[in-house]
Amino acid sequence: NTTVQPDGKILVGGGGGYTSQGGTARLQADGTVDPGTVTPWDSHARSTAVQSDGRAVIGGLFTSSAGEPHPYSARLTVDATLEPDFNPELDGGVQSISVQPDGKLVMGGAFTHVGGLLRNRVVRLHPDGMLDVFFNPNANNAVHSTVVQADGKILIGGLFTAVAGVPRNRIVRLNADGTLDTGFNPNANGAVLSIAVQADGKILLGGEFTSV
């Protein structure tokens, strides 16, 4: 996963390459590594997102960095050091992170609990990492992509076939409060692994589907 920061620098995450297991790094605009910004993880980093204050939120399959526990998500300061107080306590991997304009974080993945509470595969956190208890879409299988639209609605794609107990195949749109946008139902016949929204509001999907 890559995220372009407002200053033109590029945050990258993955497995292998910079470390033997997984890692994140910040690159200069010319592609060279920003010194001191490589962070090793014990498994893959699958998603990166940059908050308005420059801090970076990382999600993936990792559970620690340099022996320090950070299960499946972490936040880095502007100088790429780990924030010890950011710990949402997820019980499974994170595949996607999106930042809302108000700073809240939408995460999708394979987890079923966050902070000890039942939250199936998609969750919203306050900027400090605390759970937004009123947001609970409840997907019945993994979420691989999350995107916040300009109007505050949230697109999620993945392997699921139901959200909030309603049949929805692999892609849904949520209202800003996390409830299902019932008028949106593209019905993909295979996994939706990536979503992007164009400037004109049209939606691009990528994945394993052959019909929509």
Side-chain angles (χ1 to χ4, degrees):
N1 184 268
T2 61
T3 302
V4 180
Q5 299 183 172
D7 60 4
K9 292 182 179 180
I10 305 161
L11 184 65
V12 299
Y18 291 109
T19 69
S20 60
Q21 297 295 320
T24 52
R26 189 167 60 208
L27 309 179
Q28 305 282 1
D30 63 2
T32 58
V33 178
D34 193 356
T37 65
V38 176
T39 304
W41 304 101
D42 65 349
S43 189
H44 289 205
R46 288 288 177 86
S47 187
T48 60
V50 178
Q51 298 180 285
S52 59
D53 59 6
R55 291 183 293 178
V57 183
I58 314 299
L61 307 182
F62 56 83
T63 58
S64 66
S65 175
E68 184 176 346
H70 283 279
Y72 309 110
S73 68
R75 186 161 60 192
L76 306 177
T77 64
V78 176
D79 63 3
T81 57
L82 281 163
E83 283 193 12
D85 296 333
F86 184 88
N87 183 15
E89 297 183 5
L90 297 120
D91 68 348
V94 173
Q95 299 286 352
S96 182
I97 304 172
S98 297
V99 182
Q100 297 186 167
D102 62 3
K104 290 184 179 180
L105 304 166
V106 179
M107 292 185 175
F111 51 83
T112 57
H113 289 80
V114 179
L117 298 177
L118 186 66
R119 284 297 184 279
N120 287 317
R121 290 99 185 181
V122 61
V123 67
R124 186 162 64 192
L125 307 176
H126 293 287
D128 62 1
M130 298 297 292
L131 180 68
D132 181 347
V133 296
F134 300 107
F135 183 92
N136 187 15
N138 188 26
N140 73 341
N141 207 334
V143 171
H144 281 262
S145 187
T146 59
V147 174
V148 180
Q149 296 186 164
D151 62 1
K153 292 186 176 183
I154 302 162
L155 295 163
I156 66 171
L159 307 180
F160 53 82
T161 56
V163 172
V166 180
R168 283 295 185 275
N169 289 320
R170 292 96 186 182
I171 178 170
V172 301
R173 185 163 61 195
L174 307 174
N175 297 311
D177 62 0
T179 58
L180 188 66
D181 181 347
T182 57
F184 182 91
N185 188 14
N187 189 29
N189 74 339
V192 173
L193 302 178
S194 186
I195 305 173
V197 179
Q198 297 181 164
D200 62 3
K202 291 182 179 179
I203 300 162
L204 300 173
L205 308 180
E208 298 174 349
F209 51 83
T210 57
S211 70
V212 177

